Amino acid sequence: MTTQMFGAPIRRKEDPRLVSGGGRYLDDLGHDALAAAFVRSPHAHARIVEVDAGDAVDVEGVVGIYVHEDLPGRIGEPLPLLIPHPTLTHGRTGYALARDEVNHVGEPVVMVVATDRYVAEDACQRIRVTYEQLPPVVGIDAAREGALLVHDDVPGNIAAHMLQEVGDVESALAASPHTLTLELDIERSACTPMEGRGVYARWDDERRELRLWSSTQTSTGVRAAVAAKLDLPLAKVECIAPDVGGGFGVKIVHPWPEEVLVPWAARLLGRPVKFTEDRREHFISAAHERGQLQTVTVGFDDDGRLLALDVKFWHDNGAYTPYGIIVPIITSTQLLGPYKPGAYRCEFWSLYTNTVLVTPYRGAGRPQGCFAMERAMDAIADELGIDRTEVRSRNFILPSQMPYDHGLLFQDGRPLKYDSGDFPASLAKIKALVGWDDFAAYRVEAEAEGRRVGLGIGCYVEGTGVGPYEGGHIQIETSGRVNVSTGLTSQGQGHETVFAQIVAEELGVRLEDVHVTTGDTRKMAYAVGTFASRAAVMSGSAIALAARNVRAKALRIAADALEVSPQDLEIVEGTVRVKGAPATSMSLGTVSVLSNPLRYAFDEAAQAATQFAGTFDPDKPPVAEDDEPGLEGRDFYSPTQATFANGMHAAIVETDPVTAEIRILRYCVVHDCGTMINPMIVEGQVHGGVAQGVGGALYERMAYDESGQLLNASFMDFLVPYASEVPTIETDHLETPSPLNPLGIKGAGEAGCIPVSAVIASAIEDAEGFPISRMPISPNDLWELRRQHAAGEIPSLHRATRSAARDAGTTEATEAKETTA
Amino acid sequence: MKPAPFVHHAPRTVGEAAAVLAQVGHDGKVLAGGQSLVPILNMRLASPAHLVDINGVEGLDGIDVSDEAVRVGALARHAALARSEDAYAALPLLRQATLNVAHPAIRNRGTTVGSIAHADPAGEMPAVLALCDGVVEAVSARGRREIGWQDFFAGPLETTLQADELAVAVRFGRFPTGTRTAFRESARRHGDYALAGVGVMVTVADGVVTAARASFVSVTDVPSVLDLGPVLAGTEASSESWGAAVDSAAAAVRDHVQPESDIHATSDYRRMLVGELTRRVLVESVTAAEGDRR
Ligand SMILES: Cc1cc2nc3c(=O)[nH]c(=O)nc-3n(C[C@H](O)[C@H](O)[C@H](O)COP(=O)(O)OP(=O)(O)OC[C@H]3O[C@@H](n4cnc5c(N)ncnc54)[C@H](O)[C@@H]3O)c2cc1C
């Protein structure tokens, strides 16, 4: 091996193409296609009385106008509930076009197909829909109250009620020397990928075949769902994910109404049809996440060790539950982070509201869970007057206790069992990186300058790489070109690069000879999708296994041809050669020629092969009985459980003493995703995640008014942080390999955003001296909290009163005893 | 998010533009940098039947400095104004404020005159025009007229410019010798429309303040200038009493403004904010670098 591939921070193969305009996103395809546009509900909750399209039919260029009544068979039935769960007793899904009732602003009611999107929108504007308004349920409080219902047949608006308990929480709490209860609140945010959703379909009437492209995180899922809806054999449907401009979770949901309607219209009209979502549509018709109210009760001993953890939370799932209750399940399990909770009980209610549906967004329920746990850790530290990192470390699961089984079921229905991790080492690293122990001195200096600063920390564990499986297929051409395919899709993560690194390393070929295709059902029909930080773990492992198969085959063929034993061979830069005698060699391209004996010698590679032709045994068939032609191989990876990555973040913030503006001065990340395939890409993933985390902590919220109108459905008012709002991110890594997969890797995709709200809350609280229980927080919010604090409506942290007492000469120890007695 | 159909007109001269505007009247809209108008069209918040695109009109992109004023033509982009050394030398406030207008990409297309014609209470340049006691020059088929800023702004997003009129330039008046200016705003994100902003001019003679005025962004529905003379005049700029005077000025500002609440901030917060920003710009204005003192 001349250059190390696996583990090297090499530049991304796809970037020259993507940053120079060479990307082909959904809207770059199908210039001859008709365009679909939708009339969407302007009301949060209403009955559809009448649709009058009279004025629209005459618009020049309109090809078709459709309402629910026009949808035949399964297309008119409710969309599938993708992930059923026994506790999801009242799962509800919408229709591709609303039938009788609308349950959120933005729900599609009429589809217009026209020559282009301009005309389609002109027509939409002329369609008059008469609604009878119903009272909307907006916000968790209203949903929980249950006085008004989203769905008439769902009492209390409760889609699911779930309880998991390990140990006896009631008695553990009763026996705890200290208890604390926190009321917490996390608002909604959303994925908001740069490219919205989009789907484009072509129907081949002669072959009765459908080919569709979707800006999706699962092309196999879309294919199967559309085939089912359109009643087509799977063999007659192909789905391709082209370049996708970000997903972050929202594009794992499928089929979206548009993904059913566009192919249906293409078949009906016999013409290609395309839908490209615009930004407003994305805000009101795709999906949001995060919104929860939480009540966290902790019981702990004098040292701050958890004895009992009792969590109740209310999760806003929006109008429908097509993606089941994955998000709250993840919250309820991943909340535990790196800690041993003592007895643990978690009970949640997943509630309907007349708002856009809630499905996983990067982090997928973990940021909320992490917020609950980390707020509790800080509260315990404050209550006892112990350093916040010390309290955490006293509760850590230790490396010697791995694998650690929490006795709970994770989101994949399998045990929540941590495979590896070294939390004390991570903590030591983050403390060193942020300068934890020097902060007190820094604060004194800052205060002398009239500045207010705070230090915060947050720790998390993230179950990544959930099953059921992914596959990898590798085929080497006679030119030596290595074609790799896997079925899950890419949304910009750098899969072309990391998968190529794996193959280059495993096969001994040059990176530039490896060509990766993802998300194309023509190339790989068996796949699940890209979510849960699973691509590297699942497809990476499958591709490594496939590469090992191909390598074995290449060595076997070359060994035959070179008349040596396979053990004596190595593959270096695409050439199979005898160890210690590199002149005895042949290229993998030549091996590929030999692997396919029915071919003619039509090019140079083939000519080179003819000199070895004599090695074939004339008594044996050209392709051995237990063999297949071609230098290719495939394999699947299907683990028994998820692998658990972890990380710790710390930040220093400054809050303006007058205006309450909040500035992140430093942001530090220690991250452990096992063995890294490409540290630069891991860092990029962490940076992107932190940026979205900063959005969730300081800027982004969904401003619904009481009538269910989303007031900030644009990038002008929904504040995604710009580069100028994202701090410089300082990173350090720990590599604790996973014992579960062949490469020792764990997922890294979502990590960056998980603890950010917890960390920023921790830091602001530290700066201000009163508890922060609600995120995101704006300068206006903080200013308001200061006013409430000054008015005695919010208590001070003990730390604040303690340091005041210390200034007055009281010792900290006595004070601590008094406040916790 | 596609606009309704419209007819695109591309006049080459001011005369042609005025002629088209006279013809299309209220059915028409001038298109300058498009940074405000195009989103409005795309969201179908307005559907004018005619767009009079002035980007091809000759001779409108000038930035000219005279003894009395800086004259900015209708096609001078925010970026050009921010870069102009002559304009900066004559009136530093222009650069101080313009750099707070959105982001570079938007400043490269958006025009200063367009900003003023758009009359957004959250726009910086209307406030600056007011502070500089500026004038809008308008041309129509009926002739030419000048409109003082006080008569120009009629309400949020509303001016007294007639449908057939083209604003060909604005003139920002220069300040007397010894005047220092400063501009500050606070936005949720860098480059966003401000939650509150303030520009000040302070004239100092022999170390004593002789005149001071402030003008505001996002906290008044039309540009509004507050004369701070009564609280600041006569104060020695670097004396002990300056601090107290500045506090009174901030209080006067809080009394003067009438901010509205929206999803980004409450009226109370904006009132506090603009007071504090005023305090900070006043302190900054008297300690400004020599180059910023005019
Ligand atoms: C993301 C974003 C952020 C922004 N942030 C800010 C900000 O922070 N502060 C700020 O001030 N602005 C901001 N803007 C707006 C920007 O400054 C615009 O350039 C400005 O408001 C309008 O100038 P324009 O040349 O683009 O005008 P256009 O968009 O072309 O026109 C705006 C309006 O003015 C009229 N008009 C334009 N020129 C003339 C004329 N010569 N005569 C008569 N009528 C005319 C048009 O008919 C239209 O009604 C932002 C814009 C964007 C897209």
mmCIF file with all atom_site columns, all heavy atoms in Angstrom, chain A residues 281-298:
data_model
loop_
_atom_site.group_PDB
_atom_site.id
_atom_site.type_symbol
_atom_site.label_atom_id
_atom_site.label_alt_id
_atom_site.label_comp_id
_atom_site.label_asym_id
_atom_site.label_entity_id
_atom_site.label_seq_id
_atom_site.pdbx_PDB_ins_code
_atom_site.Cartn_x
_atom_site.Cartn_y
_atom_site.Cartn_z
_atom_site.occupancy
_atom_site.B_iso_or_equiv
_atom_site.pdbx_formal_charge
_atom_site.auth_seq_id
_atom_site.auth_comp_id
_atom_site.auth_asym_id
_atom_site.auth_atom_id
_atom_site.pdbx_PDB_model_num
ATOM 1   N N   . GLU A 1 281 ? -43.970 26.089 0.466  1.00 0.00 ? 281 GLU A N   1
ATOM 2   C CA  . GLU A 1 281 ? -44.553 24.746 0.536  1.00 0.00 ? 281 GLU A CA  1
ATOM 3   C C   . GLU A 1 281 ? -43.764 23.875 1.494  1.00 0.00 ? 281 GLU A C   1
ATOM 4   O O   . GLU A 1 281 ? -44.328 23.087 2.247  1.00 0.00 ? 281 GLU A O   1
ATOM 5   C CB  . GLU A 1 281 ? -44.533 24.081 -0.848 1.00 0.00 ? 281 GLU A CB  1
ATOM 6   C CG  . GLU A 1 281 ? -45.573 24.613 -1.803 1.00 0.00 ? 281 GLU A CG  1
ATOM 7   C CD  . GLU A 1 281 ? -45.531 23.887 -3.137 1.00 0.00 ? 281 GLU A CD  1
ATOM 8   O OE1 . GLU A 1 281 ? -44.471 23.939 -3.802 1.00 0.00 ? 281 GLU A OE1 1
ATOM 9   O OE2 . GLU A 1 281 ? -46.531 23.269 -3.510 1.00 0.00 ? 281 GLU A OE2 1
ATOM 10  N N   . HIS A 1 282 ? -42.449 24.027 1.457  1.00 0.00 ? 282 HIS A N   1
ATOM 11  C CA  . HIS A 1 282 ? -41.658 23.182 2.342  1.00 0.00 ? 282 HIS A CA  1
ATOM 12  C C   . HIS A 1 282 ? -41.999 23.450 3.807  1.00 0.00 ? 282 HIS A C   1
ATOM 13  O O   . HIS A 1 282 ? -42.121 22.533 4.612  1.00 0.00 ? 282 HIS A O   1
ATOM 14  C CB  . HIS A 1 282 ? -40.160 23.363 2.104  1.00 0.00 ? 282 HIS A CB  1
ATOM 15  C CG  . HIS A 1 282 ? -39.352 22.361 2.870  1.00 0.00 ? 282 HIS A CG  1
ATOM 16  N ND1 . HIS A 1 282 ? -39.229 21.053 2.474  1.00 0.00 ? 282 HIS A ND1 1
ATOM 17  C CD2 . HIS A 1 282 ? -38.693 22.450 4.044  1.00 0.00 ? 282 HIS A CD2 1
ATOM 18  C CE1 . HIS A 1 282 ? -38.518 20.388 3.361  1.00 0.00 ? 282 HIS A CE1 1
ATOM 19  N NE2 . HIS A 1 282 ? -38.174 21.202 4.330  1.00 0.00 ? 282 HIS A NE2 1
ATOM 20  N N   . PHE A 1 283 ? -42.183 24.718 4.117  1.00 0.00 ? 283 PHE A N   1
ATOM 21  C CA  . PHE A 1 283 ? -42.490 25.056 5.512  1.00 0.00 ? 283 PHE A CA  1
ATOM 22  C C   . PHE A 1 283 ? -43.853 24.533 5.959  1.00 0.00 ? 283 PHE A C   1
ATOM 23  O O   . PHE A 1 283 ? -44.017 24.143 7.103  1.00 0.00 ? 283 PHE A O   1
ATOM 24  C CB  . PHE A 1 283 ? -42.448 26.576 5.712  1.00 0.00 ? 283 PHE A CB  1
ATOM 25  C CG  . PHE A 1 283 ? -41.069 27.100 6.021  1.00 0.00 ? 283 PHE A CG  1
ATOM 26  C CD1 . PHE A 1 283 ? -40.347 27.799 5.076  1.00 0.00 ? 283 PHE A CD1 1
ATOM 27  C CD2 . PHE A 1 283 ? -40.497 26.880 7.266  1.00 0.00 ? 283 PHE A CD2 1
ATOM 28  C CE1 . PHE A 1 283 ? -39.068 28.277 5.361  1.00 0.00 ? 283 PHE A CE1 1
ATOM 29  C CE2 . PHE A 1 283 ? -39.227 27.349 7.562  1.00 0.00 ? 283 PHE A CE2 1
ATOM 30  C CZ  . PHE A 1 283 ? -38.506 28.053 6.604  1.00 0.00 ? 283 PHE A CZ  1
ATOM 31  N N   . ILE A 1 284 ? -44.843 24.590 5.051  1.00 0.00 ? 284 ILE A N   1
ATOM 32  C CA  . ILE A 1 284 ? -46.210 24.272 5.496  1.00 0.00 ? 284 ILE A CA  1
ATOM 33  C C   . ILE A 1 284 ? -46.696 22.898 5.050  1.00 0.00 ? 284 ILE A C   1
ATOM 34  O O   . ILE A 1 284 ? -47.771 22.469 5.454  1.00 0.00 ? 284 ILE A O   1
ATOM 35  C CB  . ILE A 1 284 ? -47.215 25.359 5.042  1.00 0.00 ? 284 ILE A CB  1
ATOM 36  C CG1 . ILE A 1 284 ? -47.284 25.432 3.518  1.00 0.00 ? 284 ILE A CG1 1
ATOM 37  C CG2 . ILE A 1 284 ? -46.861 26.713 5.648  1.00 0.00 ? 284 ILE A CG2 1
ATOM 38  C CD1 . ILE A 1 284 ? -48.389 26.347 3.011  1.00 0.00 ? 284 ILE A CD1 1
ATOM 39  N N   . SER A 1 285 ? -45.901 22.217 4.221  1.00 0.00 ? 285 SER A N   1
ATOM 40  C CA  . SER A 1 285 ? -46.403 20.942 3.689  1.00 0.00 ? 285 SER A CA  1
ATOM 41  C C   . SER A 1 285 ? -45.451 19.769 3.853  1.00 0.00 ? 285 SER A C   1
ATOM 42  O O   . SER A 1 285 ? -45.800 18.653 3.497  1.00 0.00 ? 285 SER A O   1
ATOM 43  C CB  . SER A 1 285 ? -46.712 21.092 2.191  1.00 0.00 ? 285 SER A CB  1
ATOM 44  O OG  . SER A 1 285 ? -47.490 22.225 1.967  1.00 0.00 ? 285 SER A OG  1
ATOM 45  N N   . ALA A 1 286 ? -44.243 20.023 4.337  1.00 0.00 ? 286 ALA A N   1
ATOM 46  C CA  . ALA A 1 286 ? -43.307 18.907 4.522  1.00 0.00 ? 286 ALA A CA  1
ATOM 47  C C   . ALA A 1 286 ? -43.414 18.449 5.975  1.00 0.00 ? 286 ALA A C   1
ATOM 48  O O   . ALA A 1 286 ? -44.448 17.912 6.376  1.00 0.00 ? 286 ALA A O   1
ATOM 49  C CB  . ALA A 1 286 ? -41.893 19.331 4.140  1.00 0.00 ? 286 ALA A CB  1
ATOM 50  N N   . ALA A 1 287 ? -42.374 18.664 6.770  1.00 0.00 ? 287 ALA A N   1
ATOM 51  C CA  . ALA A 1 287 ? -42.449 18.196 8.153  1.00 0.00 ? 287 ALA A CA  1
ATOM 52  C C   . ALA A 1 287 ? -41.581 19.065 9.055  1.00 0.00 ? 287 ALA A C   1
ATOM 53  O O   . ALA A 1 287 ? -40.628 19.691 8.599  1.00 0.00 ? 287 ALA A O   1
ATOM 54  C CB  . ALA A 1 287 ? -41.986 16.741 8.248  1.00 0.00 ? 287 ALA A CB  1
ATOM 55  N N   . HIS A 1 288 ? -41.936 19.076 10.316 1.00 0.00 ? 288 HIS A N   1
ATOM 56  C CA  . HIS A 1 288 ? -41.154 19.764 11.354 1.00 0.00 ? 288 HIS A CA  1
ATOM 57  C C   . HIS A 1 288 ? -40.706 18.723 12.382 1.00 0.00 ? 288 HIS A C   1
ATOM 58  O O   . HIS A 1 288 ? -41.020 17.550 12.271 1.00 0.00 ? 288 HIS A O   1
ATOM 59  C CB  . HIS A 1 288 ? -41.990 20.821 12.077 1.00 0.00 ? 288 HIS A CB  1
ATOM 60  C CG  . HIS A 1 288 ? -42.582 21.870 11.192 1.00 0.00 ? 288 HIS A CG  1
ATOM 61  N ND1 . HIS A 1 288 ? -43.592 22.696 11.600 1.00 0.00 ? 288 HIS A ND1 1
ATOM 62  C CD2 . HIS A 1 288 ? -42.289 22.243 9.915  1.00 0.00 ? 288 HIS A CD2 1
ATOM 63  C CE1 . HIS A 1 288 ? -43.910 23.533 10.625 1.00 0.00 ? 288 HIS A CE1 1
ATOM 64  N NE2 . HIS A 1 288 ? -43.147 23.270 9.589  1.00 0.00 ? 288 HIS A NE2 1
ATOM 65  N N   . GLU A 1 289 ? -40.001 19.243 13.414 1.00 0.00 ? 289 GLU A N   1
ATOM 66  C CA  . GLU A 1 289 ? -39.628 18.364 14.531 1.00 0.00 ? 289 GLU A CA  1
ATOM 67  C C   . GLU A 1 289 ? -39.446 19.144 15.813 1.00 0.00 ? 289 GLU A C   1
ATOM 68  O O   . GLU A 1 289 ? -39.620 20.370 15.838 1.00 0.00 ? 289 GLU A O   1
ATOM 69  C CB  . GLU A 1 289 ? -38.354 17.577 14.200 1.00 0.00 ? 289 GLU A CB  1
ATOM 70  C CG  . GLU A 1 289 ? -38.432 16.121 14.715 1.00 0.00 ? 289 GLU A CG  1
ATOM 71  C CD  . GLU A 1 289 ? -37.353 15.742 15.679 1.00 0.00 ? 289 GLU A CD  1
ATOM 72  O OE1 . GLU A 1 289 ? -37.526 15.985 16.890 1.00 0.00 ? 289 GLU A OE1 1
ATOM 73  O OE2 . GLU A 1 289 ? -36.330 15.175 15.211 1.00 0.00 ? 289 GLU A OE2 1
ATOM 74  N N   . ARG A 1 290 ? -39.048 18.397 16.839 1.00 0.00 ? 290 ARG A N   1
ATOM 75  C CA  . ARG A 1 290 ? -38.567 18.890 18.118 1.00 0.00 ? 290 ARG A CA  1
ATOM 76  C C   . ARG A 1 290 ? -39.627 19.166 19.194 1.00 0.00 ? 290 ARG A C   1
ATOM 77  O O   . ARG A 1 290 ? -39.406 18.813 20.325 1.00 0.00 ? 290 ARG A O   1
ATOM 78  C CB  . ARG A 1 290 ? -37.704 20.161 17.972 1.00 0.00 ? 290 ARG A CB  1
ATOM 79  C CG  . ARG A 1 290 ? -36.503 20.032 17.030 1.00 0.00 ? 290 ARG A CG  1
ATOM 80  C CD  . ARG A 1 290 ? -35.384 19.206 17.600 1.00 0.00 ? 290 ARG A CD  1
ATOM 81  N NE  . ARG A 1 290 ? -34.126 19.389 16.846 1.00 0.00 ? 290 ARG A NE  1
ATOM 82  C CZ  . ARG A 1 290 ? -33.565 18.473 16.077 1.00 0.00 ? 290 ARG A CZ  1
ATOM 83  N NH1 . ARG A 1 290 ? -34.119 17.279 15.929 1.00 0.00 ? 290 ARG A NH1 1
ATOM 84  N NH2 . ARG A 1 290 ? -32.429 18.705 15.450 1.00 0.00 ? 290 ARG A NH2 1
ATOM 85  N N   . GLY A 1 291 ? -40.753 19.821 18.885 1.00 0.00 ? 291 GLY A N   1
ATOM 86  C CA  . GLY A 1 291 ? -41.661 20.318 19.915 1.00 0.00 ? 291 GLY A CA  1
ATOM 87  C C   . GLY A 1 291 ? -42.042 19.312 21.007 1.00 0.00 ? 291 GLY A C   1
ATOM 88  O O   . GLY A 1 291 ? -42.691 18.302 20.744 1.00 0.00 ? 291 GLY A O   1
ATOM 89  N N   . GLN A 1 292 ? -41.620 19.580 22.232 1.00 0.00 ? 292 GLN A N   1
ATOM 90  C CA  . GLN A 1 292 ? -41.985 18.742 23.388 1.00 0.00 ? 292 GLN A CA  1
ATOM 91  C C   . GLN A 1 292 ? -42.097 19.588 24.650 1.00 0.00 ? 292 GLN A C   1
ATOM 92  O O   . GLN A 1 292 ? -41.383 20.575 24.807 1.00 0.00 ? 292 GLN A O   1
ATOM 93  C CB  . GLN A 1 292 ? -40.910 17.662 23.648 1.00 0.00 ? 292 GLN A CB  1
ATOM 94  C CG  . GLN A 1 292 ? -40.912 16.523 22.651 1.00 0.00 ? 292 GLN A CG  1
ATOM 95  C CD  . GLN A 1 292 ? -39.859 15.463 22.928 1.00 0.00 ? 292 GLN A CD  1
ATOM 96  O OE1 . GLN A 1 292 ? -39.071 15.575 23.873 1.00 0.00 ? 292 GLN A OE1 1
ATOM 97  N NE2 . GLN A 1 292 ? -39.843 14.442 22.100 1.00 0.00 ? 292 GLN A NE2 1
ATOM 98  N N   . LEU A 1 293 ? -42.981 19.154 25.549 1.00 0.00 ? 293 LEU A N   1
ATOM 99  C CA  . LEU A 1 293 ? -42.974 19.651 26.927 1.00 0.00 ? 293 LEU A CA  1
ATOM 100 C C   . LEU A 1 293 ? -42.546 18.474 27.795 1.00 0.00 ? 293 LEU A C   1
ATOM 101 O O   . LEU A 1 293 ? -43.007 17.345 27.588 1.00 0.00 ? 293 LEU A O   1
ATOM 102 C CB  . LEU A 1 293 ? -44.374 20.110 27.352 1.00 0.00 ? 293 LEU A CB  1
ATOM 103 C CG  . LEU A 1 293 ? -44.951 21.328 26.632 1.00 0.00 ? 293 LEU A CG  1
ATOM 104 C CD1 . LEU A 1 293 ? -46.357 21.632 27.149 1.00 0.00 ? 293 LEU A CD1 1
ATOM 105 C CD2 . LEU A 1 293 ? -44.050 22.544 26.807 1.00 0.00 ? 293 LEU A CD2 1
ATOM 106 N N   . GLN A 1 294 ? -41.686 18.742 28.759 1.00 0.00 ? 294 GLN A N   1
ATOM 107 C CA  . GLN A 1 294 ? -41.130 17.646 29.553 1.00 0.00 ? 294 GLN A CA  1
ATOM 108 C C   . GLN A 1 294 ? -41.205 17.957 31.049 1.00 0.00 ? 294 GLN A C   1
ATOM 109 O O   . GLN A 1 294 ? -41.012 19.106 31.456 1.00 0.00 ? 294 GLN A O   1
ATOM 110 C CB  . GLN A 1 294 ? -39.641 17.436 29.194 1.00 0.00 ? 294 GLN A CB  1
ATOM 111 C CG  . GLN A 1 294 ? -39.378 17.252 27.705 1.00 0.00 ? 294 GLN A CG  1
ATOM 112 C CD  . GLN A 1 294 ? -37.890 17.360 27.352 1.00 0.00 ? 294 GLN A CD  1
ATOM 113 O OE1 . GLN A 1 294 ? -37.152 18.073 28.006 1.00 0.00 ? 294 GLN A OE1 1
ATOM 114 N NE2 . GLN A 1 294 ? -37.476 16.656 26.317 1.00 0.00 ? 294 GLN A NE2 1
ATOM 115 N N   . THR A 1 295 ? -41.473 16.934 31.823 1.00 0.00 ? 295 THR A N   1
ATOM 116 C CA  . THR A 1 295 ? -41.353 17.040 33.280 1.00 0.00 ? 295 THR A CA  1
ATOM 117 C C   . THR A 1 295 ? -40.349 15.980 33.717 1.00 0.00 ? 295 THR A C   1
ATOM 118 O O   . THR A 1 295 ? -40.559 14.787 33.481 1.00 0.00 ? 295 THR A O   1
ATOM 119 C CB  . THR A 1 295 ? -42.708 16.778 33.963 1.00 0.00 ? 295 THR A CB  1
ATOM 120 O OG1 . THR A 1 295 ? -43.646 17.737 33.473 1.00 0.00 ? 295 THR A OG1 1
ATOM 121 C CG2 . THR A 1 295 ? -42.587 16.942 35.470 1.00 0.00 ? 295 THR A CG2 1
ATOM 122 N N   . VAL A 1 296 ? -39.268 16.436 34.298 1.00 0.00 ? 296 VAL A N   1
ATOM 123 C CA  . VAL A 1 296 ? -38.184 15.523 34.661 1.00 0.00 ? 296 VAL A CA  1
ATOM 124 C C   . VAL A 1 296 ? -37.998 15.558 36.169 1.00 0.00 ? 296 VAL A C   1
ATOM 125 O O   . VAL A 1 296 ? -37.745 16.616 36.740 1.00 0.00 ? 296 VAL A O   1
ATOM 126 C CB  . VAL A 1 296 ? -36.860 15.952 33.980 1.00 0.00 ? 296 VAL A CB  1
ATOM 127 C CG1 . VAL A 1 296 ? -35.732 14.981 34.336 1.00 0.00 ? 296 VAL A CG1 1
ATOM 128 C CG2 . VAL A 1 296 ? -37.037 16.042 32.475 1.00 0.00 ? 296 VAL A CG2 1
ATOM 129 N N   . THR A 1 297 ? -38.134 14.403 36.806 1.00 0.00 ? 297 THR A N   1
ATOM 130 C CA  . THR A 1 297 ? -37.877 14.326 38.249 1.00 0.00 ? 297 THR A CA  1
ATOM 131 C C   . THR A 1 297 ? -36.672 13.422 38.474 1.00 0.00 ? 297 THR A C   1
ATOM 132 O O   . THR A 1 297 ? -36.614 12.308 37.940 1.00 0.00 ? 297 THR A O   1
ATOM 133 C CB  . THR A 1 297 ? -39.104 13.777 38.995 1.00 0.00 ? 297 THR A CB  1
ATOM 134 O OG1 . THR A 1 297 ? -40.202 14.655 38.734 1.00 0.00 ? 297 THR A OG1 1
ATOM 135 C CG2 . THR A 1 297 ? -38.852 13.725 40.499 1.00 0.00 ? 297 THR A CG2 1
ATOM 136 N N   . VAL A 1 298 ? -35.714 13.943 39.218 1.00 0.00 ? 298 VAL A N   1
ATOM 137 C CA  . VAL A 1 298 ? -34.528 13.134 39.517 1.00 0.00 ? 298 VAL A CA  1
ATOM 138 C C   . VAL A 1 298 ? -34.412 12.940 41.027 1.00 0.00 ? 298 VAL A C   1
ATOM 139 O O   . VAL A 1 298 ? -34.690 13.843 41.814 1.00 0.00 ? 298 VAL A O   1
ATOM 140 C CB  . VAL A 1 298 ? -33.219 13.787 39.009 1.00 0.00 ? 298 VAL A CB  1
ATOM 141 C CG1 . VAL A 1 298 ? -33.038 13.544 37.534 1.00 0.00 ? 298 VAL A CG1 1
ATOM 142 C CG2 . VAL A 1 298 ? -33.160 15.270 39.328 1.00 0.00 ? 298 VAL A CG2 1
#
